[in-house]
Amino acid sequence: MITQRPLSLAVVGHTNTGKTSLLRTLLRDSTFGEVKNAPSTTRHVEQAAVTDGSDTLVYLYDTPGLEDAGGVLDWLEQNTSARSDGIERLQQFLDSEAAASDFNQEAKVLRQLLQSDMALYVVDAREPVLNKYKDELTVLSWCAKPVMPVFNFTGGQDLTEWVTMLARRSLHVYSGFDTVAFDFDGEIRLWDNLATMLPERTTLDRLINMRRCEWQQLDKEARYEIAGFLLDVAAYKQEIDEDEPSEPVLQSMQDSVRQLERQLQQQLFQLYCFYHNEIDSTDWALKTFEQDPFDSDLLLQYGIRTGTGAATGALIGLGIDIATLGGSLGLGTAIGGILGGVLPNVHDISDKISGKKTLHIDAETLTLLAARTLDLLQALQTRGHAAQSPVRLNSGKVPWQPAKLPSELNKARNQWKWSSLNTHLPETSRKERETATDSLMERLKKN
């Protein structure tokens, strides 16, 4: 097998158009470079690589922003001969004092492009077509390397004027790729469009196939973790004496579920390579959810009904009724426990005879947790690695109705070993529920 030489791509463009942001998303690395809403954030050329195992497929070079291409063009017209070709004229410029002083940023960009196979020219789609952008494309064209424009911040923008200008410069291949609102298919189109501009596309075809496999595997791993989390919570239970105060146990169970949910959030963030060094990861995870999972208002926002209907269906016929429950735990506490997502239950008549009650997480809260985690997954799969805003959730959609919980979650009620909150042995519980996790994961793929 012949090993292909890695493709070398220079990411170029006017200052503050999102070059580093593009690289962060293509690299799946929210820590690459520095992103600020200010000009000239990138001062030097930075290299990064996209690899497939031990093989490097693409080298990406983040370059400083072009600030005065018009000045460079004026210098070239005044100090070089029109009879020389573009590369010859650029070489004269790069050897000059001007390249080391007044046009230091532009010189770094041009040197890198001359050493690269091609360029991604990043355009802020919100900007009108100005002369400075035309000058940049003129100077870049003298490097005699393929240049593909990439439109950033494309949401709601009319690109007609830009497309017309690019066509007049024989730039007919371009891509839209928003670095904040990520679109996986858009990334694949970007790589595919690049491949059409090169004489040999084997390397980029390999990269495209690798990305597709990665994306499918990420989705599978994420849904597996979500399925395991839901089974972990569904199997969680605490047994108390009939006359034992319930409030401390209810609060403890809620705290345990909250902590388990935070752990899942962090797993998903890390799985999709979102790292935020500027803030503590736990705090960041909490910020992805504005409301407590045990907040009854949040249940209503997802259209999940609570109250007497759910209580009656869950309790009557299991050897206990609302009046008996209220007499032993206090009716206010009982109803509060139901609405708070922790449901008192009696599994069999022996529990009632022994004066014991079992507390578990109710179907309504399990449904809410499923909806929220699937919302988070959707948010991460459509979030660019340059995004700086908090994750917003609450789609209002649920994967199932509480009365129709997946069979795997219903089965978990009687499988106490499935919950790490019961065993305090996460890996043991994970192995115990492995078959059910696989089955529930497949169900979650349909949502």
Side-chain angles (χ1 to χ4, degrees), residues 87-102:
I87 293 180
E88 291 171 339
R89 298 175 77 176
L90 287 178
Q91 196 58 59
Q92 285 182 257
F93 163 70
L94 293 174
D95 292 337
S96 72
E97 178 62 30
S101 55
D102 294 343

Side-chain angles (χ1 to χ4, degrees), residues 3 40 77-78 98 136 145 151 157 183 232 243 254 327 370 399 401 407 432 436 447:
T3 302
S40 304
E77 290 177 348
Q78 295 169 10
E136 288 169 3
K145 297 295 176 72
F151 290 104
Q157 301 301 317
D183 172 23
D232 206 340
D243 57 354
Q254 289 180 343
Q401 291 302 316
S407 58
E432 289 283 342
N447 294 284

Side-chain angles (χ1 to χ4, degrees), residues 246-247 250-251 254 258 293-296 299 306-308 311 315 322 325-326 329-344 359-360 362 365:
S246 61
E247 289 87 343
L250 295 174
Q251 292 176 2
Q254 289 180 343
R258 289 186 189 104
F294 294 99
D295 185 340
S296 58
L299 288 168
T306 60
T308 56
L315 297 177
I322 289 293
L325 182 64
L329 295 179
L331 185 57
T333 298
I335 298 299
I338 294 169
L339 295 181
V342 182
L343 182 69
L359 306 182
H360 61 77
D362 64 19
T365 300

Side-chain angles (χ1 to χ4, degrees), residues 13 19 22 31 48 75 78 88 104 149 197 208 213 284 329 333 361 423 435:
K19 296 182 295 298
L22 174 68
T31 65
W75 190 97
Q78 295 169 10
E88 291 171 339
N104 177 265
M197 302 178 69
I208 289 170
C213 291
W284 178 260
L329 295 179
T333 298
I361 304 302
T423 64
T435 300

